[in-house]
Amino acid sequence: MCDTCGCNITHGNENFIKPGGKLHKTESGKEAVTVLHNLLDENDHTAMHNRDHFDQHNVLAINLMSSPGAGKTALLEATIQQLDKNLRIAVIEGDLETENDAERIRKHGVKAIQISTGSACHLDAHMIHQALHNLDLKEFDIIFIENVGNLVCPASFDLGQHLNVTLLSVPEGDDKPAKYPVMFRASDFVLISKSDLLPILDDFKPERARKYFQDIASTAPILELSSKDKSGMSEWLAWINQQIKTRKDYLKEHPLSSHSHSHTHGHVHTHSHEHTHDHVHKHV
Amino acid sequence: MHELAICQALINQLETIATERNAQNISLIVVGIGPLSGVEAQLLKNAYPIASTGTVAENAEIVIQQLPVKVKCNECGCESETKPNKLICKNCGNWRTTLISGDELILLSVELETADSQSGLASKANTGLH
């Protein structure tokens, strides 16, 4: 991801990616150049700027990811209804087509920006950056980004969020973490959604799901939750409140001037998605 | 199919490198991909001709180096090569591990044809050195 600090090179992969020489001529007379750039440098750079924007306004940004129909919008609706009324919420909605989800959110009196991705299967940092032009961040405490329903593509793109929350709904089956390790590894918090269906769809074993999360070395807390019968909601709301507090405390201890990235510095330390994940865990 | 979007990001980087080094053509690019990057090597290869059309990298050969998934155990310190959905320590079975290889998505190197290298070839040809 960078050619200066080598932060993507570990002793585990250096034998594979270590350069043979910074710059040399090949036998054919062509010039071979060692690059070592993360392919998503540009996205990650914008993501970092988005994160700085959020931090400048003390806004916590949570990226919600899941397969289509796992209950992201229903979760947001239940959250809006029950979350502390003093907390000002905005939602960025990502869908291939329609404003349906944004309209559902707006019915609760909450600002919602719809991003229509067309054929794109994921949100990226540039789309979020555009959406932020339509949001006055000083009016909000928490931004939920509802990513495109997809267990594959969104995992590769850092948006500038502070935390990833992944929903695994009961009808999907408990082995999804084993099938989609990239997505579920990126989670900071996992919700087993539609938990009210557990008695009916009894082939979903929460304990088995937890085992699959251990297999991908995930340390994220896992909570069974139903937006319908509201079980698990109080724990979810408590987690959100805790995260807002943790972020605010962190920003108090690390004022933005000391951790915000200038353009040059930012380039050197462009974070991959996984770095961001680590970053959040270390400092929040 | 986010591979096309990633391929377009790759082309942007290649164009920047070509401009910086005043290259007329890019003949070879080497990309390193780990299975936990979420990118399929073959799909990236398939997307490449579409994304590169009309660019300086249009005729480049794309070589993909697949990187292994390796974890280091947080308990016993053992390093083991494993599968993307089995990131547990092969030595002690502990699941608290740290990934040390396998989530890379990196442009490793490129081979450029510059005016210099072209004239180099030409001068070699002129002196009969091949």
Side-chain angles (χ1 to χ4, degrees):
Chain A
M1 112 210 15
C2 70
D3 53 0
T4 310
C5 73
C7 53
N8 53 347
I9 301 173
T10 70
H11 71 277
N13 65 18
E14 65 180 352
N15 289 337
F16 298 90
I17 64 176
K18 212 160 56 177
K22 193 76 186 163
L23 180 69
H24 60 274
K25 302 272 182 191
T26 61
E27 281 181 15
S28 61
K30 293 166 186 166
E31 203 174 281
V33 182
T34 301
V35 186
L36 297 184
H37 273 183
N38 188 322
L39 294 195
L40 288 172
D41 252 3
E42 204 182 326
N43 179 79
D44 294 348
H45 192 61
T46 306
M48 206 160 50
H49 278 281
N50 291 345
R51 198 170 290 116
D52 279 350
H53 280 302
F54 291 129
D55 286 342
Q56 276 159 12
H57 297 92
N58 259 317
V59 172
L60 182 75
I62 295 181
N63 178 29
L64 289 176
M65 297 188 285
S66 77
S67 56
K72 293 184 294 300
T73 314
L75 172 72
L76 284 176
E77 289 179 292
T79 306
I80 290 164
Q81 283 170 354
Q82 289 188 260
L83 198 62
D84 184 344
K85 294 293 175 243
N86 293 321
L87 288 174
R88 301 161 303 166
I89 307 172
V91 176
I92 298 173
E93 287 283 351
D95 279 299
L96 271 66
E97 295 290 348
T98 84
E99 289 236 349
N100 294 355
D101 287 355
E103 281 163 14
R104 277 171 68 182
I105 299 298
R106 287 177 195 134
K107 278 183 187 157
H108 298 272
V110 163
K111 173 111 178 170
I113 307 278
Q114 180 74 53
I115 300 175
S116 295
T117 61
S119 58
C121 44
H122 58 272
L123 293 175
D124 65 28
H126 303 287
M127 296 181 199
I128 297 301
H129 186 81
Q130 285 299 315
L132 291 183
H133 288 156
N134 299 314
L135 275 180
D136 189 354
L137 285 180
K138 63 177 180 293
E139 291 179 8
F140 301 101
D141 299 297
I142 183 163
I143 306 276
F144 290 102
I145 301 167
E146 184 179 335
N147 216 312
V148 177
N150 181 336
L151 285 179
V152 184
C153 310
S156 298
F157 296 85
D158 185 7
L159 307 178
Q161 75 278 10
H162 299 107
L163 296 158
N164 284 324
V165 173
T166 314
L167 280 71
L168 165 60
S169 71
V170 168
E172 290 173 62
D174 52 25
D175 61 348
K176 283 292 178 288
K179 288 180 174 168
Y180 300 90
V182 180
M183 167 63 68
F184 286 102
R185 266 188 81 237
S187 312
D188 296 298
F189 196 68
V190 176
L191 297 172
I192 296 180
S193 60
K194 307 191 185 183
S195 64
D196 50 299
L197 294 176
L198 279 171
I200 307 156
L201 303 172
D202 59 1
D203 50 342
F204 187 108
K205 304 287 184 211
E207 277 322 297
R208 208 157 49 199
R210 285 169 198 272
K211 172 74 177 60
Y212 284 123
F213 274 102
Q214 284 195 354
D215 282 349
I216 55 169
S218 167
T219 53
I222 301 170
L223 173 69
E224 291 164 37
L225 177 139
S226 165
S227 307
K228 199 171 179 185
D229 72 17
K230 307 289 188 268
S231 61
M233 276 304 287
S234 56
E235 290 94 331
W236 159 240
L237 298 170
W239 182 82
I240 294 174
N241 284 320
Q242 181 57 49
Q243 297 307 317
I244 291 174
K245 186 180 175 308
T246 308
R247 188 73 202 162
K248 282 192 173 160
D249 289 349
Y250 171 77
L251 288 173
K252 255 183 228 162
E253 285 169 30
H254 306 81
L256 215 57
S257 54
S258 69
H259 86 275
S260 120
H261 300 258
S262 71
H263 274 269
T264 3
H265 181 77
H267 183 72
V268 171
H269 280 280
T270 303
H271 290 270
S272 76
H273 185 78
E274 292 313 316
H275 272 74
T276 310
H277 181 79
D278 290 340
H279 183 80
V280 169
H281 270 293
K282 263 182 235 159
H283 301 298
V284 171
Chain B
M1 264 302 283
H2 55 303
E3 280 78 4
L4 186 56
I6 286 165
C7 217
Q8 275 155 352
L10 166 65
I11 298 294
N12 290 346
Q13 286 195 11
L14 293 174
E15 289 194 310
T16 307
I17 292 166
T19 307
E20 278 171 6
R21 301 195 177 258
N22 210 11
Q24 277 79 51
N25 195 26
I26 293 181
S27 47
L28 175 75
I29 60 176
V30 185
V31 176
I33 297 181
L36 286 167
S37 70
V39 171
E40 274 304 317
Q42 191 54 49
L43 293 179
L44 194 69
K45 273 192 160 178
N46 294 349
Y48 188 80
I50 303 166
S52 65
T53 303
T55 72
V56 69
E58 183 169 9
N59 300 312
E61 180 190 350
I62 176 164
V63 173
I64 294 183
Q65 195 154 13
Q66 305 253 21
L67 302 169
V69 177
K70 284 190 194 172
V71 294
K72 180 174 182 173
C73 180
N74 295 357
E75 292 296 323
C76 76
C78 178
E79 292 176 10
S80 39
E81 197 169 323
T82 181
K83 293 194 297 180
N85 61 3
K86 209 80 183 168
L87 304 179
I88 55 178
C89 175
K90 278 195 176 162
N91 182 44
C92 70
N94 181 29
W95 61 274
R96 291 179 188 274
T97 61
T98 305
L99 193 78
I100 54 170
S101 169
D103 64 348
E104 303 83 354
L105 180 59
I106 316 168
L107 174 57
L108 294 173
S109 66
V110 297
E111 198 175 83
L112 304 170
E113 290 172 18
T114 59
D116 279 357
S117 60
Q118 289 301 312
S119 63
L121 280 177
S123 63
K124 271 185 197 172
N126 288 339
T127 54
L129 294 169
H130 293 281

